[in-house]
């Protein structure tokens, strides 16, 4: 039986969120700096203050995603638009690079926080249902996880559902503005100069004069 046949997302999510605290390496993603306690425990047992909302993020390599997150988003987007015999999928179209650039250049901190939190929650869903991360899961297992979110598309109060909607939107945008999406999938041939204007066969409307 598929997990989508037996899950109640609103109820079941309480379990994977509750148990995630006890999972070592539960996700390749950092905890989001939203809705957090005043302090959080570092792995070695020391305590450090949680950054205040709006505080500057640590300097990085200039990318929004870490390498592990980038690989994760590649698999998420490829699950939405997979390669087939006709054209390459989201991974070949470098959709993860497109999303990374969009988020890196965005001034919307709530959007960035949603992606960080959503990625983590979806990975925890995968661990809860299949005992492994999304990246480690099979194609069918990945589809099952995303189908749960798709089947509960109207639960916009849940961050993982809003994340899934944003993921689908950016994946579609990134893919269909890429060379693979435009030329291979849609088979767009480019602008062509017409040697002759053919017009249409409709008769000239009668004059009212």
């Amino acid at each position: 039986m598929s997990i989508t046949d037996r899950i109640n997302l609103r109820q079941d999510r309480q379990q994977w969120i509750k148990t995630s605290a006890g999972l070592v390496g539960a996700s390749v993603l950092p905890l989001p700096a939203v809705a957090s306690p005043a302090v959080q425990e570092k792995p070695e047992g020391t305590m450090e203050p949680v950054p205040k909302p709006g505080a500057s993020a640590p300097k990085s390599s200039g990318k929004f995603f870490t390498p592990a997150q980038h690989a994760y988003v590649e698999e998420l987007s490829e699950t939405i638009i997979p390669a087939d015999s006709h054209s390459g999928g989201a991974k070949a179209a470098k959709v993860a690079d497109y999303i990374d650039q969009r988020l890196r250049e965005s001034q919307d901190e709530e959007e960035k926080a949603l992606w960080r939190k959503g990625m983590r929650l979806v990975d925890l869903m995968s661990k809860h249902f299949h005992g492994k991360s999304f990246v480690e899961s099979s194609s069918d297992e990945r589809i099952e996880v995303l189908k749960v979110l798709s089947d509960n598309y109207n639960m916009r109060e849940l961050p993982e559902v809003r994340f899934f909607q944003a993921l689908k939107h950016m994946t579609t945008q990134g893919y269909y503005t890429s060379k693979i999406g435009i030329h291979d999938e849609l088979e767009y041939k480019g602008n062509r100069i017409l040697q002759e204007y053919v017009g249409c066969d409709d008769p000239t409307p009668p004059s009212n004069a």
Side-chain angles (χ1 to χ4, degrees):
M1 180 185 293
S2 168
I3 62 172
T4 57
D5 296 329
R6 66 177 187 270
I7 184 175
N8 181 311
L9 179 59
R10 187 175 279 106
Q11 293 180 3
D12 206 67
R13 72 188 302 270
Q14 298 175 2
Q15 183 61 31
W16 78 65
I17 292 174
K18 178 181 178 181
T19 59
S20 67
L23 295 175
V24 177
S27 175
V28 299
L29 310 163
L31 284 168
V34 292
S36 302
V39 294
Q40 64 187 32
E41 186 173 350
K42 295 172 67 177
E44 61 271 22
T46 59
M47 306 298 286
E48 115 181 327
V50 171
K52 294 180 180 179
S56 298
K59 296 295 182 183
S60 65
S61 60
K63 303 289 187 181
F64 180 79
F65 298 131
T66 66
Q69 289 171 335
H70 186 277
Y72 175 36
V73 173
E74 281 191 321
E75 302 306 329
L76 283 167
S77 60
E78 183 75 9
T79 304
I80 293 173
I81 304 181
D84 58 23
S85 59
H86 180 65
S87 62
K91 190 184 294 187
K94 299 188 181 301
V95 167
D97 289 350
Y98 169 83
I99 296 174
D100 183 276
Q101 181 178 350
R102 283 281 306 273
L103 292 172
R104 186 173 71 248
E105 295 175 351
S106 174
Q107 300 300 312
D108 189 340
E109 294 303 321
E110 289 186 5
E111 178 185 36
K112 294 179 179 181
L114 175 64
W115 273 80
R116 294 188 181 101
K117 187 170 187 176
M119 287 190 292
R120 176 172 170 78
L121 288 172
V122 172
D123 213 41
L124 291 176
M125 284 177 64
S126 179
K127 283 187 171 289
H128 177 70
F129 293 127
H130 301 301
K132 46 193 161 182
S133 71
F134 191 89
V135 171
E136 296 169 329
S137 299
S138 68
S139 176
D140 287 344
E141 289 168 340
R142 293 173 183 179
I143 290 171
E144 280 193 331
V145 170
L146 295 190
K147 191 173 186 304
V148 170
L149 298 171
S150 179
D151 289 348
N152 292 277
Y153 210 71
N154 293 327
M155 293 187 185
R156 286 190 51 82
E157 71 275 15
L158 303 182
E160 60 268 35
V161 172
R162 296 198 307 277
F163 162 71
F164 175 65
Q165 293 171 355
L167 171 67
K168 282 186 63 178
H169 177 69
M170 279 206 193
T171 296
T172 303
Q173 277 195 330
Y175 185 76
Y176 287 107
T177 54
S178 71
K179 181 179 182 297
I180 288 177
I182 294 173
H183 294 289
D184 297 347
E185 173 65 18
L186 297 180
E187 299 184 2
Y188 174 66
K189 305 302 182 184
N191 295 331
R192 297 181 177 182
I193 298 175
L194 295 176
Q195 300 300 324
E196 178 184 0
Y197 178 69
V198 179
C200 61
D201 296 329
D202 292 341
T204 302
S207 173
N208 294 325

